[in-house]
Amino acid sequence: MDRSSSQNPILTTKTVHDFPSETPQNHQNTPKTIDIPLNCSLGNMSRTCPANYYPSKIFVEDQSLLSAPPPSCPDYFRWIYDDLWPWRETGITREMVMSASRTANFRLVILDGKAYVQTYRKSFQSRDTFTLWGILQLLRRYPGKVPDLDLMFDCVDWPVIKKETFKGPKYPAPPPLFRYCGDDSSYDIVFPDWSFWGWPEINIKPWEALSEDLKEGNKRIGWTDREQHAYWKGNPTVAATRMDLLKCNVTDKQDWGARVFAQDWLKEQKEGYKQSDLASQCAHRYKIYIEGSAWSVSEKYILACDSVTLLVKPYYYDFFTRSLMPLQHYWPIKDDDKCRSIKHAVDWGNSHQQEAQAIGKRASNFILDELKMDYVYDYMFHLLSEYAKLLKYKPTVPKRAVELCSEAMACPSQGFEKKFMTDSLVKGPSVSNPCTMPPPYDPASLHSVIERKDSGIKQVETWEKEYWQNQNKQM
């Protein structure tokens, strides 16, 4: 496809003058937003990108409208520098990128604002589909601003670029590989997960709509009127730690303060997902987050509930969770002594209701304010921009790659997949710039973050030890 200016128009936004009301103070100038609908004129079975389907750049005529600096990005953006640290001295060569293809599901190249994808292997369910859909929406949001780049993406849960493998002069730098989560022993680059644009296989809406549902769900039952137990519902068979959690369920002999339910997704699908509405699950004072085979997308849904999140010691992180703090956003739960740890947390919260409510509220405020889709897109933009700066070569379109655009994905899709793509479509270019990146952590500030986290966890461990000592004395 010709990528000349005639094929990639530059759209101009003109100033919209609102009619003044009774006072001149209400007279405002705002950039005019542009809605660019999907072009499915070639028919629903089209899997090709139509010509002139989207502008390559947006130019605002009245630059004074953009003179106000954009807001500073949330603090978790600072981890972008940390994730790209392994390549700070070497840069990233084509050979490094290609060496990451061993486990990648797809290779993505962005050139002149267009996306080209080479698929290596299909992902589980629609993870790859909705990850690519999200990247295409980023290109719709910021046309002409996302730099040329070349990357490999692995949609499997667990990180694979192990630090211990890439030590010494034999490996000057590891292969750069993007995925949804990382851990302290890996170099995988963390990227927002597919569920922000929807998870059709289990009827989870795109995050923009779902987060609004969760806000409304929080209003239905006040914290003090909620069930005074810790709630968890999910698939326990994916991890031994979740099977262990089942032991904490209430029995006729013991009540650990937990109500744990195994989710049968096949049954849910047959019954129309009536029992899996996330917004109706904000009915408990406490909700448990526990990892599956690795990190779980459920974390943001749990944290958004106004409930106190009882976070079983995690081993993985996603792009925003490294900024969560114990006693500020969650209550830490021991992985090797879950039941007693949960019992103490529930009893503490029920006897310290004001403090417990504050923890739950801070967590949901963090998720609903600092994890808005605006910031998810800005995180993607800054991560890809910083990554592109490291490339030591000019990306080119791979021979087996195909051009990908929103039309090629959404027009032929069906069912929940089509609905979620339509619902999460970026309607047109943003009239504001991305948020401003905060500086990287210096050694002292990073040490302070780690120390604060360790201190909060140790404080809870001390309280828990004292609690059980007192319980034993009363027996």
mmCIF file of all heavy atoms in Angstrom, residues 54 57-58 167 201 298 307 314 319 372 403-404 436 462:
data_model
loop_
_atom_site.group_PDB
_atom_site.id
_atom_site.type_symbol
_atom_site.label_atom_id
_atom_site.label_comp_id
_atom_site.label_asym_id
_atom_site.label_seq_id
_atom_site.Cartn_x
_atom_site.Cartn_y
_atom_site.Cartn_z
ATOM 1 N N TYR A 54 -7.330 6.084 7.799
ATOM 2 C CA TYR A 54 -7.063 6.871 9.001
ATOM 3 C C TYR A 54 -5.965 7.875 8.703
ATOM 4 O O TYR A 54 -5.030 7.576 7.946
ATOM 5 C CB TYR A 54 -6.639 5.958 10.158
ATOM 6 C CG TYR A 54 -6.988 6.521 11.519
ATOM 7 C CD1 TYR A 54 -8.300 6.491 11.980
ATOM 8 C CD2 TYR A 54 -6.024 7.107 12.329
ATOM 9 C CE1 TYR A 54 -8.643 7.020 13.213
ATOM 10 C CE2 TYR A 54 -6.353 7.638 13.569
ATOM 11 C CZ TYR A 54 -7.678 7.580 14.001
ATOM 12 O OH TYR A 54 -8.010 8.111 15.224
ATOM 13 N N LYS A 57 -1.450 11.931 10.612
ATOM 14 C CA LYS A 57 -1.109 12.939 11.609
ATOM 15 C C LYS A 57 -2.320 13.829 11.870
ATOM 16 O O LYS A 57 -3.200 13.957 11.035
ATOM 17 C CB LYS A 57 0.071 13.821 11.140
ATOM 18 C CG LYS A 57 1.406 13.113 11.096
ATOM 19 C CD LYS A 57 2.506 14.061 10.677
ATOM 20 C CE LYS A 57 3.854 13.341 10.627
ATOM 21 N NZ LYS A 57 4.955 14.232 10.196
ATOM 22 N N ILE A 58 -2.316 14.433 13.046
ATOM 23 C CA ILE A 58 -3.335 15.421 13.389
ATOM 24 C C ILE A 58 -2.635 16.731 13.701
ATOM 25 O O ILE A 58 -1.674 16.762 14.471
ATOM 26 C CB ILE A 58 -4.163 14.970 14.617
ATOM 27 C CG1 ILE A 58 -4.905 13.672 14.305
ATOM 28 C CG2 ILE A 58 -5.145 16.049 15.031
ATOM 29 C CD1 ILE A 58 -5.956 13.806 13.233
ATOM 30 N N LYS A 167 24.132 -13.872 31.924
ATOM 31 C CA LYS A 167 25.213 -13.312 32.729
ATOM 32 C C LYS A 167 26.538 -13.478 31.997
ATOM 33 O O LYS A 167 26.740 -14.445 31.280
ATOM 34 C CB LYS A 167 25.290 -14.010 34.089
ATOM 35 C CG LYS A 167 24.152 -13.674 35.034
ATOM 36 C CD LYS A 167 24.327 -14.384 36.362
ATOM 37 C CE LYS A 167 23.217 -14.024 37.340
ATOM 38 N NZ LYS A 167 23.354 -14.760 38.629
ATOM 39 N N GLU A 201 -14.181 -14.614 25.774
ATOM 40 C CA GLU A 201 -14.423 -16.011 26.155
ATOM 41 C C GLU A 201 -15.159 -16.142 27.485
ATOM 42 O O GLU A 201 -15.863 -17.132 27.714
ATOM 43 C CB GLU A 201 -13.105 -16.790 26.216
ATOM 44 C CG GLU A 201 -12.488 -17.086 24.866
ATOM 45 C CD GLU A 201 -11.685 -15.935 24.292
ATOM 46 O OE1 GLU A 201 -11.534 -14.899 24.990
ATOM 47 O OE2 GLU A 201 -11.190 -16.056 23.156
ATOM 48 N N SER A 298 -7.419 -10.621 37.323
ATOM 49 C CA SER A 298 -8.464 -10.315 38.304
ATOM 50 C C SER A 298 -8.032 -9.253 39.308
ATOM 51 O O SER A 298 -8.879 -8.670 39.998
ATOM 52 C CB SER A 298 -8.864 -11.587 39.064
ATOM 53 O OG SER A 298 -7.770 -12.078 39.835
ATOM 54 N N SER A 307 -13.508 -2.873 48.747
ATOM 55 C CA SER A 307 -13.229 -3.864 49.781
ATOM 56 C C SER A 307 -11.749 -3.805 50.138
ATOM 57 O O SER A 307 -10.936 -3.309 49.356
ATOM 58 C CB SER A 307 -13.577 -5.270 49.287
ATOM 59 O OG SER A 307 -14.894 -5.325 48.778
ATOM 60 N N PRO A 314 2.484 -12.116 46.414
ATOM 61 C CA PRO A 314 2.649 -12.345 44.971
ATOM 62 C C PRO A 314 4.121 -12.575 44.596
ATOM 63 O O PRO A 314 5.025 -12.094 45.272
ATOM 64 C CB PRO A 314 2.132 -11.052 44.355
ATOM 65 C CG PRO A 314 2.481 -10.000 45.378
ATOM 66 C CD PRO A 314 2.419 -10.674 46.732
ATOM 67 N N PHE A 319 2.108 -4.164 34.978
ATOM 68 C CA PHE A 319 2.710 -2.847 34.738
ATOM 69 C C PHE A 319 2.389 -1.823 35.810
ATOM 70 O O PHE A 319 3.130 -0.861 35.986
ATOM 71 C CB PHE A 319 2.313 -2.319 33.348
ATOM 72 C CG PHE A 319 0.877 -1.857 33.234
ATOM 73 C CD1 PHE A 319 0.579 -0.500 33.219
ATOM 74 C CD2 PHE A 319 -0.164 -2.757 33.114
ATOM 75 C CE1 PHE A 319 -0.735 -0.063 33.089
ATOM 76 C CE2 PHE A 319 -1.481 -2.335 32.990
ATOM 77 C CZ PHE A 319 -1.764 -0.991 32.973
ATOM 78 N N LYS A 372 -7.196 4.660 34.591
ATOM 79 C CA LYS A 372 -8.160 4.957 33.536
ATOM 80 C C LYS A 372 -7.536 4.596 32.186
ATOM 81 O O LYS A 372 -6.320 4.561 32.041
ATOM 82 C CB LYS A 372 -8.525 6.439 33.553
ATOM 83 C CG LYS A 372 -9.249 6.896 34.799
ATOM 84 C CD LYS A 372 -9.636 8.365 34.707
ATOM 85 C CE LYS A 372 -8.421 9.273 34.685
ATOM 86 N NZ LYS A 372 -8.792 10.705 34.789
ATOM 87 N N GLU A 403 -0.343 -6.108 6.900
ATOM 88 C CA GLU A 403 -0.781 -4.862 7.517
ATOM 89 C C GLU A 403 -2.035 -5.126 8.333
ATOM 90 O O GLU A 403 -2.925 -5.880 7.924
ATOM 91 C CB GLU A 403 -1.064 -3.795 6.462
ATOM 92 C CG GLU A 403 -1.416 -2.456 7.100
ATOM 93 C CD GLU A 403 -1.770 -1.373 6.098
ATOM 94 O OE1 GLU A 403 -1.714 -1.651 4.889
ATOM 95 O OE2 GLU A 403 -2.104 -0.260 6.543
ATOM 96 N N LEU A 404 -2.088 -4.518 9.496
ATOM 97 C CA LEU A 404 -3.219 -4.719 10.387
ATOM 98 C C LEU A 404 -3.833 -3.358 10.713
ATOM 99 O O LEU A 404 -3.121 -2.388 10.972
ATOM 100 C CB LEU A 404 -2.759 -5.397 11.677
ATOM 101 C CG LEU A 404 -3.833 -6.076 12.539
ATOM 102 C CD1 LEU A 404 -4.524 -7.189 11.750
ATOM 103 C CD2 LEU A 404 -3.223 -6.631 13.808
ATOM 104 N N THR A 436 2.903 13.590 31.019
ATOM 105 C CA THR A 436 4.349 13.810 31.077
ATOM 106 C C THR A 436 5.016 12.753 31.947
ATOM 107 O O THR A 436 4.617 12.543 33.092
ATOM 108 C CB THR A 436 4.651 15.208 31.654
ATOM 109 O OG1 THR A 436 3.979 16.190 30.860
ATOM 110 C CG2 THR A 436 6.143 15.486 31.650
ATOM 111 N N THR A 462 4.018 -8.662 62.474
ATOM 112 C CA THR A 462 4.124 -8.457 63.924
ATOM 113 C C THR A 462 2.754 -8.496 64.577
ATOM 114 O O THR A 462 2.552 -9.162 65.606
ATOM 115 C CB THR A 462 4.811 -7.108 64.224
ATOM 116 O OG1 THR A 462 6.123 -7.118 63.666
ATOM 117 C CG2 THR A 462 4.898 -6.862 65.718
#
